[in-house]
Amino acid sequence: MWITLVIIHGLLAFLLLGAITHQVVSVWAPVRAGARNFVARFRAVGSVNYVNAVIVLYLATASLGSLLYTNYRITARLTLEQGHYWKSFGAFELKEHLIAIGLAVLPAYWCFWRPSLDAGDARTRRMLTTLLAFIIWWAFLAGHIANNIRGLGT
């Protein structure tokens, strides 16, 4: 059962990673002319279209992660400590704190990305999106490292 939940958690995290990456690229490097190549089309996505997906996926991934956390505390954390994988252990501990910060940032993220977009809030939207992208990428990579050490990853 734990393996199935870890796989679902990983798939949700992967979808979240794709959504936030598309959004952060589109707010930092918006396409100026017609999208003619792959990179330009990647940049040309509508940033506002990803807001609800990011919020729902973040909440779903964090909720499932909190359910899996009990198994981590019993198995993987012990393996990391006994194996003296202190960098991986620290990265995962930091991941927990960053995810909590991300949960606290979600209401502001939603508020600044609401349908009545104010042009003056573009910088705030860019910074909030970048912060969430950093948190999500860190969480994805730290979780992947912990799962590989524990023997659940590939």
Side-chain angles (χ1 to χ4, degrees):
M1 177 178 115
W2 290 111
I3 300 295
T4 303
L5 292 176
V6 168
I7 290 170
I8 293 168
H9 179 65
L11 290 173
L12 287 173
F14 186 72
L15 291 172
L16 176 59
L17 192 66
I20 197 68
T21 301
H22 269 289
Q23 190 178 41
V24 81
V25 167
S26 70
V27 297
W28 278 103
V31 69
R32 303 261 189 258
R36 296 178 198 237
N37 60 27
F38 175 78
V39 175
R41 285 190 302 273
F42 186 83
R43 292 170 39 193
V45 299
S47 304
V48 84
N49 297 331
Y50 285 94
V51 174
N52 291 332
V54 167
I55 292 171
V56 169
L57 286 169
Y58 194 98
L59 292 173
T61 305
S63 298
L64 188 53
S66 67
L67 178 67
L68 293 168
Y69 187 72
T70 56
N71 187 37
Y72 162 76
R73 286 300 252 191
I74 295 168
T75 59
R77 183 174 180 175
L78 184 62
T79 303
L80 291 172
E81 288 176 352
Q82 288 177 344
H84 301 287
Y85 297 109
W86 301 118
K87 291 178 184 175
S88 299
F89 178 77
F92 202 88
E93 292 294 312
L94 183 58
K95 169 188 173 177
E96 297 166 6
H97 297 289
L98 289 175
I99 289 170
I101 291 169
L103 284 170
V105 167
L106 279 181
Y109 172 79
W110 176 80
C111 182
F112 281 98
W113 277 103
R114 67 188 181 280
S116 58
L117 296 175
D118 182 14
D121 293 333
R123 182 168 187 222
T124 305
R125 283 192 296 274
R126 187 180 304 131
M127 292 298 125
L128 287 170
T129 305
T130 303
L131 176 62
L132 278 177
F134 174 78
I135 290 169
I136 292 165
W137 270 98
W138 182 277
F140 185 81
L141 294 173
H144 186 70
I145 290 167
N147 279 341
N148 279 332
I149 290 170
R150 187 167 74 179
L152 294 177
T154 54

